[in-house]
Amino acid sequence: GSWVSALVTYGLGRMVGKETVYRVTGAALNRVQRQISRHGFLSMLFARIVPLAPFAVVNMIAGACQIRLRDFSLATALGMTPGIFIIVLLHYQFRRTLRDPTIGTVVLLLALAIFFAVLGAAFYRWYAQRRSAHRSTLNMKATKRRSDAQRSFV
């Protein structure tokens, strides 16, 4: 269901084009377009594992940016699998705990919930540090270009 929905909104983005998607998404299109054009499959895979924007928006941008359907489909399927697995596992344990609320089932449910929450927080922290380092590098390059341009002007 999720994969088919992703394909439909991808197709919608591809059909309406960049200008229409830009009106809907704003500046996000430009940032994502640069990333997707350089690393289509990996960008989509990461966007699925770390959902930084609503899936429908990511799907439409991917379609508008002309990422290959094969890359989009495969990255979507692979990237959504861990999240779906986690949801299924937590749901199973939650139902098991409701049916048989022993100390063991409750502790296991809490342990799983805490584990996945900590794992998610660690992943987001890693991503934020990586993104911050990337921005610092870009800022240093921009400062150097401005400095070089000023020197050549004088």
Side-chain angles (χ1 to χ4, degrees):
S2 299
W3 184 72
V4 172
S5 174
L7 289 177
V8 169
T9 50
Y10 167 87
L12 183 63
R14 195 169 191 120
M15 188 174 66
V16 299
K18 286 182 187 174
E19 290 182 25
T20 303
V21 172
Y22 182 79
R23 283 191 296 249
V24 173
T25 62
L29 175 64
N30 293 331
R31 288 191 309 273
V32 173
Q33 181 181 355
R34 284 191 303 270
Q35 185 68 17
I36 286 176
S37 65
R38 281 186 258 147
H39 314 284
F41 175 81
L42 290 176
S43 296
M44 285 310 306
L45 183 64
F46 189 76
R48 295 302 182 215
I49 294 171
V50 182
L52 300 173
F55 276 4
V57 172
V58 172
N59 301 339
M60 288 181 68
I61 290 173
C65 292
Q66 305 289 315
I67 185 174
R68 290 187 306 205
L69 180 60
R70 181 195 66 198
D71 290 347
F72 176 81
S73 298
L74 187 57
T76 296
L78 292 175
M80 291 174 70
T81 300
I84 291 171
F85 174 76
I86 291 167
I87 290 168
V88 168
L89 182 62
L90 286 172
H91 181 260
Y92 168 79
Q93 188 58 35
F94 180 73
R95 289 190 64 188
R96 188 171 162 219
T97 302
L98 286 178
R99 274 185 271 129
D100 183 23
T102 64
I103 190 72
T105 58
V106 172
V107 167
L108 183 55
L109 176 63
L110 289 174
L112 286 170
I114 291 168
F115 172 74
F116 289 125
V118 169
L119 184 65
F123 198 74
Y124 274 109
R125 183 174 178 180
W126 169 81
Y127 175 75
Q129 288 173 343
R130 185 172 178 263
R131 189 172 176 188
S132 176
H134 179 70
R135 282 185 180 164
S136 295
T137 302
L138 292 177
N139 288 339
M140 287 189 315
K141 287 180 182 179
T143 302
K144 184 176 178 349
R145 280 194 300 267
R146 281 193 299 271
S147 175
D148 291 346
Q150 288 173 347
R151 270 190 243 125
S152 66
F153 183 71
V154 175

